[in-house]
Amino acid sequence: MTGQPDDLLTIDEVIATLRVSRAAFYRWRRRGTGPASVRLPGGAVRIRRDALDGWLRGLHEDNKEEGTAA
C-alpha cells in the first residue's frame, strides 16, 4: 500500500483494498480480530494505514506458523 503510515483510511477504502465485503469487515470488528480502528468525535470509524499493514503482516506470520506446525 502507498501513503503515509498515519493516514486514516475509511471503511470503504479498507474493504476495497482487502477486497472483502462490508459484512466481513464488521464481523471481524465484532470478534476483535480485525485491524485496530479509531473512532472520531463525530462517530466515524477510521483505520490507520500502519495498523492495517501490521494486521496484514500478523496474518502472514500466523499462516507461516500454522504451516510449520505439522
Side-chain angles (χ1 to χ4, degrees):
M1 276 182 249
T2 60
Q4 299 299 313
D6 287 342
D7 287 347
L8 293 174
L9 305 173
T10 65
I11 292 171
D12 286 339
E13 291 172 321
V14 172
I15 64 176
T17 298
L18 298 176
R19 297 181 184 151
V20 299
S21 68
R22 183 176 292 275
F25 176 82
Y26 280 108
R27 187 171 47 250
W28 296 339
R29 286 196 71 214
R30 272 194 317 274
R31 294 178 181 168
T33 59
S37 60
V38 175
R39 185 169 298 277
L40 300 177
V45 173
R46 297 290 185 265
I47 310 299
R48 287 194 188 279
R49 183 177 305 279
D50 60 347
L52 180 60
D53 291 343
W55 179 75
L56 288 170
R57 275 191 304 276
L59 292 177
H60 179 71
E61 291 168 5
D62 288 347
N63 289 336
K64 284 172 50 178
E65 289 174 9
E66 287 175 9
T68 59

